[in-house]
Amino acid sequence: MRNRLYILFLAFLIFANGTVFSANITVPSLELYTRGVNSGGIFAFESEGDMDLLVEGGYKFGGLVVLNYTSSSLETPSLTSGLTFKAARITQRELFGLPLSFSYFIGEGDTFCSGDIFPQYFGANPVATAYRGLMHFPEGIRYNGIHTLKGTGLQFDLTPQGETLLLSYYLYQDSNIDSDSDPTTFEAGYYSSDLRFALNFNKLKVETFVGATYPTPDSSLGYYRGGLLFYASEESVEFMAQAGIPQWSPVNDQFDMSLFYLLFEPRVKIGFLSVIPTFFWRPGYYNQQSTNEQAFDVNLNLLLGGTAATKVSGGLESNFSYQTESSGTTVSEFRIRVSPYLQLLTSGVIWEIRVNGKLWPYSYSDLIECFLSAKAEF
């Protein structure tokens, strides 16, 4: 039944504008990672892959379907791996001749306060932190932004000044709470509403959101969330901050620091050298799920190159992490890692080679970890 529904959506979106040739099929994201680790006394390689396939058509009355292929072990064939449904969206733009768009979406939606909205929607230069995703969080939760919505619902986008202002409202059944729920169904579930505002100027960028979920499985008053991304730049100095609460239950949670997602990143450029310290406080909840961890990270990135004019860049990262909770158990653990890396920009592909040296806790058998990644830029 699920596969039939996906096929129907594909067919509808492809023919929505009256002809099959109005649809475009692209690959907006393709990433490959190979990680070399010591496993059972043997140094072995583990490869992961992630690809999105986008079927898109029309502008004024637009639709899209995103299919995804993800595998945590490309070397080992799995019956469960394969092309899966990720998202579908139908959008009616310029409602009543106004700068207003209406979308019906299913599956994974927007990510709030990651910074990706500025290049994706406004066409601005990237402002997001590099301290995110698999390269920096190879195990456990791969943090990216404060909250990513997922479910079945409606979205309204108001753009009174298309290049500088965006106001979005979301109303949807939330499938983040129950990881086993199916976002393509209309069965009774948990419902969420979010309001997002984005402001884009050349040297100043702001994104903020607030949201609520009701009912919830364990709180009669629901869940609440909100966050802010702030970016400012002046000549060779930049500052980016993400601050928010991914989830707060007034019934179950004390209002304390464990609720907060906090990331602060000043950036200083001195010629070809960039000094980028990142301070990250991990939250107790993320995407409507308990993280079962609490930690504070300090990452110092000394980058040489990295400008649009340079094809080769590289540097050294040193990472300090203090963890106070792991898998729901109180701990007190320090972790120190040093990572030299090299990046190469070729035609449409960003290559990166990275070596992680785990200095503390020290273990000879687990001292070195290697990464090779290839990220296609389409």
Side-chain angles (χ1 to χ4, degrees):
M1 181 62 186
R2 183 184 302 178
N3 291 335
R4 292 180 181 177
L5 181 60
Y6 298 159
I7 293 172
L8 286 174
F9 263 104
L10 273 171
F12 175 78
L13 293 177
I14 291 175
F15 289 99
N17 292 325
T19 171
V20 69
F21 298 106
S22 62
N24 298 315
I25 300 177
T26 58
V27 181
S29 174
L30 174 59
E31 298 181 47
L32 299 175
Y33 298 91
T34 295
R35 178 187 180 196
V37 295
N38 191 303
S39 178
I42 300 175
F43 193 80
F45 291 101
E46 302 172 353
S47 296
E48 296 192 22
D50 186 88
M51 179 192 73
D52 286 344
L53 179 65
L54 172 66
V55 183
E56 186 177 28
Y59 171 75
K60 189 169 183 179
F61 181 73
L64 64 86
V65 167
V66 182
L67 303 178
N68 175 265
Y69 178 83
T70 300
S71 175
S72 59
S73 181
L74 290 174
E75 299 92 347
T76 306
S78 172
L79 296 176
T80 60
S81 297
L83 202 61
T84 60
F85 174 83
K86 183 177 182 180
R89 181 186 302 267
I90 299 174
T91 300
Q92 176 67 60
R93 295 181 175 89
E94 301 176 10
L95 283 173
F96 313 114
L98 301 174
L100 178 66
S101 299
F102 164 76
S103 299
Y104 164 57
F105 67 88
I106 295 175
E108 185 175 307
D110 292 338
T111 296
F112 300 143
C113 296
S114 69
D116 291 334
I117 186 176
F118 298 106
Q120 291 175 357
Y121 186 86
F122 297 107
N125 292 328
V127 302
T129 178
Y131 191 66
R132 59 178 179 171
L134 180 143
M135 199 66 73
H136 292 92
F137 302 97
E139 299 174 354
I141 299 170
R142 294 172 184 174
Y143 295 98
N144 178 28
I146 295 179
H147 180 72
T148 298
L149 65 84
K150 184 179 180 182
T152 300
L154 308 176
Q155 174 180 342
F156 297 87
D157 294 316
L158 180 63
T159 55
Q161 298 181 23
E163 295 182 355
T164 56
L165 291 176
L166 171 66
L167 182 65
S168 301
Y169 174 70
Y170 307 81
L171 181 63
Y172 56 100
Q173 176 179 286
D174 197 324
S175 59
N176 265 328
I177 298 178
D178 183 359
S179 60
D180 296 325
S181 63
D182 184 352
T184 63
T185 69
F186 290 94
E187 299 175 359
Y190 309 108
Y191 296 90
S192 292
S193 180
D194 292 274
L195 182 66
R196 176 175 71 173
F197 171 77
L199 177 68
N200 176 63
F201 292 118
N202 186 33
K203 296 184 178 182
L204 175 67
K205 305 182 192 300
V206 175
E207 180 187 359
T208 185
F209 80 98
V210 292
T213 301
Y214 185 87
T216 58
D218 59 357
S219 173
S220 59
L221 296 180
Y223 297 154
Y224 300 89
R225 58 190 166 273
L228 168 73
L229 181 145
F230 175 83
Y231 170 85
S233 64
E234 183 62 38
E235 295 182 357
S236 59
V237 177
E238 303 175 27
F239 177 76
M240 195 278 293
Q242 298 166 295
I245 299 176
Q247 179 182 302
W248 175 52
S249 169
V251 174
N252 301 316
D253 300 324
Q254 294 183 353
F255 195 84
D256 56 23
M257 285 299 298
S258 66
L259 299 174
F260 282 83
Y261 183 112
L262 299 173
L263 189 148
F264 302 100
E265 188 174 271
R267 307 163 187 170
V268 179
K269 296 182 181 179
I270 309 171
F272 286 99
L273 173 65
S274 296
V275 181
I276 309 172
T278 305
F279 307 91
F280 180 40
W281 175 263
R282 305 189 195 185
Y285 297 98
Y286 193 65
N287 290 336
Q288 306 281 41
Q289 302 288 328
S290 175
T291 62
N292 290 319
E293 68 175 13
Q294 194 69 71
F296 178 65
D297 301 353
V298 178
N299 191 77
L300 177 61
N301 182 11
L302 302 177
L303 170 66
L304 287 173
T307 65
T310 59
K311 300 296 183 181
V312 179
S313 62
L316 179 70
E317 285 192 7
S318 55
N319 183 270
F320 168 87
S321 178
Y322 175 61
Q323 193 163 31
T324 60
E325 181 179 337
S326 178
S327 301
T329 303
T330 300
V331 298
S332 181
E333 183 177 78
F334 292 93
R335 296 181 181 180
I336 302 175
R337 184 178 69 235
V338 176
S339 307
Y341 66 93
L342 179 68
Q343 292 179 334
L344 176 64
L345 176 62
T346 61
S347 299
V349 181
I350 299 175
W351 299 87
E352 180 170 342
I353 301 173
R354 177 181 293 260
V355 178
N356 289 342
K358 300 180 180 180
L359 303 185
W360 189 266
Y362 178 80
S363 173
Y364 178 77
S365 62
D366 195 27
L367 180 62
I368 299 296
E369 182 179 62
C370 304
F371 282 95
L372 171 63
S373 73
K375 182 179 181 181
E377 295 285 311
F378 296 96

